Amino acid sequence: MIRLTKQADYGIVLMSQLALTGQTAAAELALQTHLPPAMVSKILKMLARAGLLVSHRGVHGGYELARPAAEISVAHVIFALEGPIALTQCSEHSDNECSYEAFCRVRENWQRIDRAVRGALEGVTIEDMARPDFLGGRTAASTLIPLGSGT
């Protein structure tokens, strides 16, 4: 099963909440999202270091998006929290060579799949994620088809 880490998932939840509420303190975000306060603080700091959030100190301080939610993709958040998006080690853009690379028949296809996944994540913004009914302009009920249903 391919799955996002909790950190990436929570980061997207927090960014979506900030898109709705504007500047909010970390403790308040934890309450609003029902996420663990320590994890919320850690993620917010990472997103601020990555330039996706701006932090304000003081009594009326908190965090806010560094740019409009429509300009921040889900891929930006995942990259900020987890690094490059790659489904397999050989499709990462790194200097690590795989000992099977010379014989591998599927590497190029994995890279193609990675580009498709990255493209899909880049095509969904935090503004989209903040809307509960968003699925590319379709309603959720009309687009869900169980895997293996034959349709």
Side-chain angles (χ1 to χ4, degrees), residues 17-79:
Q17 184 66 27
L18 283 166
L20 294 172
T21 61
Q23 184 175 318
T24 309
E28 183 61 26
L29 275 170
L31 288 173
Q32 291 170 354
T33 59
H34 304 281
L35 297 175
M39 182 72 120
V40 167
S41 292
K42 175 185 173 186
I43 292 169
L44 293 173
K45 288 174 187 170
M46 292 174 74
L47 292 169
R49 275 194 301 273
L52 297 177
L53 294 178
V54 176
S55 130
H56 301 281
R57 295 179 180 254
V59 176
H60 300 290
Y63 289 88
E64 67 179 329
L65 300 180
R67 55 187 188 265
E71 296 177 15
I72 302 171
S73 73
V74 168
H76 290 131
V77 178
I78 294 170
F79 184 83

Side-chain angles (χ1 to χ4, degrees), residues 96-127:
N96 298 337
E97 280 196 34
C98 172
S99 59
Y100 301 105
E101 185 175 355
F103 312 104
C104 185
R105 296 174 169 259
V106 299
R107 182 172 191 223
E108 287 182 30
N109 286 321
W110 274 120
Q111 290 174 338
R112 194 171 122 216
I113 291 166
D114 279 351
R115 284 190 302 273
V117 169
R118 237 184 344 271
L121 295 171
E122 288 168 356
V124 179
T125 67
I126 293 302
E127 180 180 65

Side-chain angles (χ1 to χ4, degrees), residues 132-135 138-145:
D133 64 341
F134 173 76
L135 279 175
R138 302 175 306 255
T139 61
S142 69
T143 59
L144 294 178
I145 299 171

Side-chain angles (χ1 to χ4, degrees), residues 77-89:
V77 178
I78 294 170
F79 184 83
L81 296 171
E82 302 299 329
I85 297 167
L87 299 178
T88 63
Q89 187 172 2

